[in-house]
Amino acid sequence: MKLVRRGLALLVAIATMWTLLVTAQSQSLSAAVSAMKQSVSLPHALLQWELPAFPTDDLPLSTLLVLHQSPLLLAARNLLTSSAHSEDPPSPDTSSPQESLPVQQPEPDLSQDLYFLDNGTPSETIAPTSGKGYVVAGNVFIKNSSRQTVDPAIFSDGTFAAALGQEGPQVLILHTHGSEAYTMPAGEEYVPSGTFRTSDTTKNVIRVGDEIASVLSSYGISVLHDRTMHDNPEYNGSYSRSLASIEDYLAKYPTISFILDVHRDAIQDADGRQYKVISREEPRAAQMSLVMGSDYDHWQDNLRLAVAVQKNLCARYPTLMRPITLRNTGYNQNASVGSLLLEVGAAGNSLDEAIYAARLFARSFAKTIGAEISS
């Protein structure tokens, strides 16, 4: 009660002083009342002058006076005020925006639109368990069946002679044995033109070449795909006919740097039963192999390219590629320093398995020869 009495006395004194100051110049009672109405903020101003460190917000003057006389109540008042301020929403960030990082584009699904139906053929994976009998260049195995000596050191830097040109067609895809076909699932059979061969270009290796061309083109590589079946109607003389096609293309399009002759293999047991070859890491994909010749001057240039391509593929899919085979022949690879003979799967594989493998090959091949690939 003592504190209250002191507060009331101070309040009366302040009110009296305020009344005298406000009405000092008034000539009548109505003028004094008007002056008091216009100066309603004066009590708070006087109190702030009297108590400079005290918050004089919307509380009544009597309450403010009581709080000032009690350190405990004053501390509680300050704590509540600071807590309320701490709950205010944060001020908006007016700093300069941070530069956003580029969004990584998802890698395309190369198995899209393929069904991988069972064609009833037994499968196996051909992969060396040691380097015995092979020339080993990092993760690449080379079966040297030629008369040439292969020094693994020539592959150490990963370089090769061929390079993408700036304008014009850059890659030629063709098929010396274009009628080579696969084992189709029930309901998808083709009209045969021979044993595991057909003139139906939607079911033979020409379709596989179409898929390679499509993937390479998606990476900005200019591709020519010769869909001629050089083995139809006659198998003998196929390489002579495909060489003539290669020479015609090179004469017309000197910008061509890489030539892919796309085939499929055939693997069977003693009873003639066909086998499919598949990758362990991606069993839906047929195994592939690069077959290289060695009876021409720049055979090592083409072999270096083959090793570089296979290294990139095997880094991700160690058993997608069978060992490279080097033989005492040419396979028309004398035509350029960027020539490869690619066998996609075997006669026992399904077409979908071959297509999927071909797409994987094309993506890695594009990266190896310098195409811009985000993944």
Side-chain angles (χ1 to χ4, degrees), residues 101-177:
L101 296 175
V103 178
Q104 184 77 16
Q105 295 297 322
E107 188 175 79
D109 179 11
L110 297 183
S111 67
Q112 189 174 13
D113 70 28
L114 302 176
Y115 300 99
F116 305 105
L117 299 178
D118 184 13
N119 64 357
T121 306
S123 64
E124 64 176 77
T125 300
I126 299 175
T129 57
S130 73
K132 185 177 181 180
Y134 296 95
V135 177
V136 181
N139 59 357
V140 176
F141 293 83
I142 304 170
K143 182 67 175 180
N144 187 7
S145 300
S146 74
R147 294 182 294 269
Q148 306 288 358
T149 299
V150 179
D151 181 2
I154 69 172
F155 311 113
S156 59
D157 59 5
T159 62
F160 45 88
L164 286 174
Q166 296 301 312
E167 294 186 8
Q170 299 161 315
V171 175
L172 170 64
I173 300 172
L174 80 158
H175 308 273
T176 297
H177 299 149

Side-chain angles (χ1 to χ4, degrees), residues 34-255:
S34 178
M36 291 174 66
K37 288 181 178 179
Q38 295 175 3
S39 303
V40 292
S41 62
L42 183 58
H44 276 80
L46 291 173
L47 186 60
Q48 184 65 55
W49 173 75
E50 176 69 21
L51 309 171
F54 194 76
T56 57
D57 47 19
D58 294 333
L59 292 176
L61 291 175
S62 58
T63 304
L64 292 172
L65 291 170
V66 171
L67 287 173
H68 182 67
Q69 295 298 319
S70 173
L72 182 60
L73 293 176
L74 180 60
R77 163 66 176 169
N78 290 339
L79 179 60
L80 289 173
T81 302
S82 62
S83 297
H85 289 165
S86 67
E87 294 176 0
D88 290 343
S91 58
D93 184 9
T94 58
S95 60
S96 59
Q98 297 295 317
E99 183 178 354
S100 60
L101 296 175
V103 178
Q104 184 77 16
Q105 295 297 322
E107 188 175 79
D109 179 11
L110 297 183
S111 67
Q112 189 174 13
D113 70 28
L114 302 176
Y115 300 99
F116 305 105
L117 299 178
D118 184 13
N119 64 357
T121 306
S123 64
E124 64 176 77
T125 300
I126 299 175
T129 57
S130 73
K132 185 177 181 180
Y134 296 95
V135 177
V136 181
N139 59 357
V140 176
F141 293 83
I142 304 170
K143 182 67 175 180
N144 187 7
S145 300
S146 74
R147 294 182 294 269
Q148 306 288 358
T149 299
V150 179
D151 181 2
I154 69 172
F155 311 113
S156 59
D157 59 5
T159 62
F160 45 88
L164 286 174
Q166 296 301 312
E167 294 186 8
Q170 299 161 315
V171 175
L172 170 64
I173 300 172
L174 80 158
H175 308 273
T176 297
H177 299 149
S179 68
E180 290 176 331
Y182 300 91
T183 300
M184 305 300 292
E188 297 185 11
E189 295 86 354
Y190 49 76
V191 177
S193 60
T195 304
F196 296 103
R197 298 180 184 276
T198 182
S199 299
D200 184 349
T201 57
T202 67
K203 301 289 179 67
N204 59 27
V205 294
I206 291 179
R207 167 68 185 282
V208 175
D210 288 338
E211 299 292 335
I212 295 174
S214 177
V215 174
L216 294 182
S217 298
S218 72
Y219 292 118
I221 298 173
S222 179
V223 181
L224 295 174
H225 184 199
D226 182 357
R227 304 177 82 250
T228 304
M229 286 183 283
H230 296 93
D231 59 337
N232 190 13
E234 185 179 4
Y235 188 82
N236 292 334
S238 300
Y239 275 99
S240 296
R241 291 188 288 274
S242 63
L243 177 59
S245 293
I246 291 171
E247 291 173 342
D248 287 344
Y249 276 103
L250 291 177
K252 188 174 182 180
Y253 304 104
T255 56

Side-chain angles (χ1 to χ4, degrees), residues 140-143 290 292 303 306-307 310 322-326:
V140 176
F141 293 83
I142 304 170
K143 182 67 175 180
L290 292 167
M292 307 304 297
L303 185 58
V307 169
Q310 186 143 327
R322 292 157 51 199
I324 295 174
T325 300
L326 183 67

